[in-house]
Amino acid sequence: MHTVTANLPNGTSNYVGATCVESGDPIAAATAPVLTPGRILEAFRRIPLPEAPLAIQPPGGETLVNFDTILHTQADPFQETVQLLGRQITFDITPATFTWTLGKGQTMTTTDPGQPWTPGTPMDAYVSHRYTQAGPVTLQLTTTWTARWRLSNGPWRDVNGTVTMTSPAQDLQVRTAQPQLVSYD
């Protein structure tokens, strides 16, 4: 693999991309298509990403005012190999951030995909939100994916850009609980 740089008038050089030529032919090296950061990002954007569905607890589309509503998704790192300009490129793709749209203009961004409720787990271990007012809200999750890439077994390089995927919106009704005294005769 050869690094392609641009020599600037001020005497410095900038990284432009990489090229790989199987033979030692300098003419082939000079005419081989260059893997530019833009081409790498374009290839990354064409990779089908797994869905990261939004899960809400309690289930059933209802929660209570001043009650921890737990949010989570399933998004795991993975690798994908593609052909780009006749070369094999491997991408190492990772979910980097999760932006939880909570309704009424509120959002929260985490690096944690959250987890479902399990007995004995402290509440600070969850991704959760407390609504302070009753009414309908619409929730959504946008997952931002980052990647690094390499040519054959070359060094890993960061992709200059990200890809986002947004889950379908889900309606949630926030209700106020009414305490009621009962008699146990």
Side-chain angles (χ1 to χ4, degrees), residues 4-18:
V4 179
T5 59
N7 294 323
L8 303 176
N10 66 4
T12 64
S13 62
N14 280 349
Y15 173 78
V16 173

Side-chain angles (χ1 to χ4, degrees), residues 11-118:
T12 64
S13 62
N14 280 349
Y15 173 78
V16 173
T19 187
C20 183
V21 179
E22 297 300 322
S23 71
D25 181 1
I27 294 173
T31 60
V34 176
L35 294 173
T36 64
R39 286 179 172 156
I40 296 295
L41 177 60
E42 183 181 313
F44 173 38
R45 288 183 172 158
R46 284 194 309 261
I47 294 172
L49 297 173
E51 289 188 30
L54 170 61
I56 305 167
Q57 290 178 300
E62 294 184 331
T63 193
L64 296 174
V65 169
N66 295 321
F67 181 80
D68 288 315
T69 303
I70 297 172
L71 310 170
H72 59 94
T73 190
Q74 181 67 40
D76 297 313
F78 68 101
Q79 286 192 347
E80 184 77 22
T81 301
V82 300
Q83 289 292 317
L84 180 61
L85 301 175
R87 295 174 208 124
Q88 188 170 321
I89 307 292
T90 301
F91 288 94
D92 186 29
I93 304 169
T94 305
T97 61
F98 304 90
T99 301
W100 313 87
T101 301
L102 305 167
K104 299 185 181 180
Q106 294 182 310
T107 61
M108 169 177 59
T109 300
T110 68
T111 57
D112 184 354
Q115 63 180 328
W117 181 84
T118 53

